[in-house]
Amino acid sequence: MINYPLLKSKTMSEQQELTATFQTYMENPLVWPMLEVLRQRPSGWKVHTLAAHLSSLGYIPVLDPSPQKDLFKRNFLIMNALYQLQETLYPEKWLQVEAMDIVLLPITSIQGCEIDPEDPLRDYYIQWHNYEAEEGEVKRLLNEFWTKYRKHVGGTNGLDMDRAKALSLFKLPHDASQSQIRKTWRKLALKWHPDRENGNSEKFRVLCEAWHVLRH
């Protein structure tokens, strides 16, 4: 049985508080391997079984020497990715985010489904300072995850990609904001993801390289 933390008021501690800019553009790379897993098996998942499966695929390393903290951080990353993926897929698909019942369904199969921005559980898990780490630690962790995922899709380490080319691929101006870049990345990645009916693995790989350059 997974014990989730009680929702608590946010502190203003400099050690825990992440900047608003950091939180708006930080992409959890578990989103994309999670999408692959859910498309192959849309139902029958719980947070701990999904975490165990992604760990078996090599996407989640040991996150903390303390078993209790490691479990909490693992669950946090899974829930954060689920809520990010829910937002990315909506309204084409509906991702039910419940700790003991995670289901990916077409929007037509559920009436009245919509993202609730006031959901306190969602608000807790999309705020990176609740991961109990400084901004630098979270960035380092997600950079490691992202590097692993790029290898999974056949990344080339960006040797032939620079910022100008990446922005051109995203069809964005040279002064595009991080928010614009992130929104465009998600839109294009979802369109060309290999698990989609009309997806294209090569285009998705190139987009991954472009995002790798632009996300910093």
Side-chain angles (χ1 to χ4, degrees):
M1 184 69 178
I2 298 173
N3 293 318
Y4 287 96
L6 294 175
L7 299 183
K8 55 188 177 181
S9 60
K10 300 176 180 122
T11 71
M12 296 304 293
S13 164
E14 292 183 0
Q15 184 176 5
Q16 293 186 333
E17 187 67 32
L18 297 180
T19 64
T21 301
F22 171 63
Q23 292 189 46
T24 56
Y25 73 77
M26 180 54 65
E27 178 86 359
N28 187 334
L30 289 179
V31 166
W32 303 106
M34 185 178 288
L35 176 59
E36 294 173 14
V37 168
L38 290 174
R39 287 195 182 279
Q40 293 171 13
R41 183 180 142 194
S43 62
W45 294 104
K46 299 176 174 61
V47 169
H48 67 279
T49 60
L50 186 56
H53 185 69
L54 288 169
S55 295
S56 72
L57 296 175
Y59 289 117
I60 308 180
V62 174
L63 302 173
D64 198 287
S66 165
Q68 186 175 4
K69 288 185 177 180
D70 181 74
L71 178 61
F72 167 75
K73 291 181 177 182
R74 189 178 302 264
N75 291 338
F76 184 94
L77 289 173
I78 291 292
M79 292 296 288
N80 176 277
L82 283 168
Y83 281 117
Q84 288 202 40
L85 184 56
Q86 181 187 67
E87 181 181 344
T88 299
L89 294 173
Y90 187 81
E92 181 182 337
K93 298 275 188 179
W94 177 250
L95 177 57
Q96 176 178 292
V97 181
E98 296 180 5
M100 304 305 287
D101 190 17
I102 299 163
V103 185
L104 178 62
L105 293 169
I107 195 66
T108 54
S109 68
I110 300 180
Q111 298 298 320
C113 287
E114 59 182 21
I115 295 172
D116 179 9
E118 303 300 322
D119 177 3
L121 196 65
R122 180 181 186 276
D123 182 65
Y124 180 88
Y125 282 111
I126 63 174
Q127 301 296 331
W128 281 107
H129 64 79
N130 290 322
Y131 182 79
E132 298 182 348
E134 294 182 351
E135 178 177 342
E137 180 183 341
V138 177
K139 283 185 174 180
R140 178 192 58 75
L141 173 68
L142 298 189
N143 282 340
E144 290 177 1
F145 282 14
W146 183 252
T147 298
K148 184 167 293 188
Y149 187 66
R150 287 171 61 236
K151 290 180 180 178
H152 169 70
V153 298
T156 61
N157 294 320
L159 296 179
D160 57 349
M161 183 72 63
D162 57 23
R163 184 175 178 82
K165 183 176 180 180
L167 286 170
S168 177
L169 285 169
F170 278 26
K171 297 183 178 179
L172 290 173
H174 73 278
D175 58 350
S177 68
Q178 284 299 137
S179 178
Q180 288 177 300
I181 291 170
R182 182 171 182 260
K183 288 179 180 178
T184 303
W185 151 247
R186 286 192 165 197
K187 179 180 178 180
L188 292 173
L190 188 59
K191 178 179 180 180
W192 297 111
H193 194 281
D195 282 351
R196 289 183 61 84
E197 184 177 349
N198 297 315
N200 184 299
S201 59
E202 179 58 22
K203 285 188 177 181
F204 183 75
R205 183 193 66 76
V206 174
L207 289 169
C208 282
E209 294 295 343
W211 166 248
H212 178 67
V213 170
L214 295 174
R215 68 190 181 88
H216 295 291

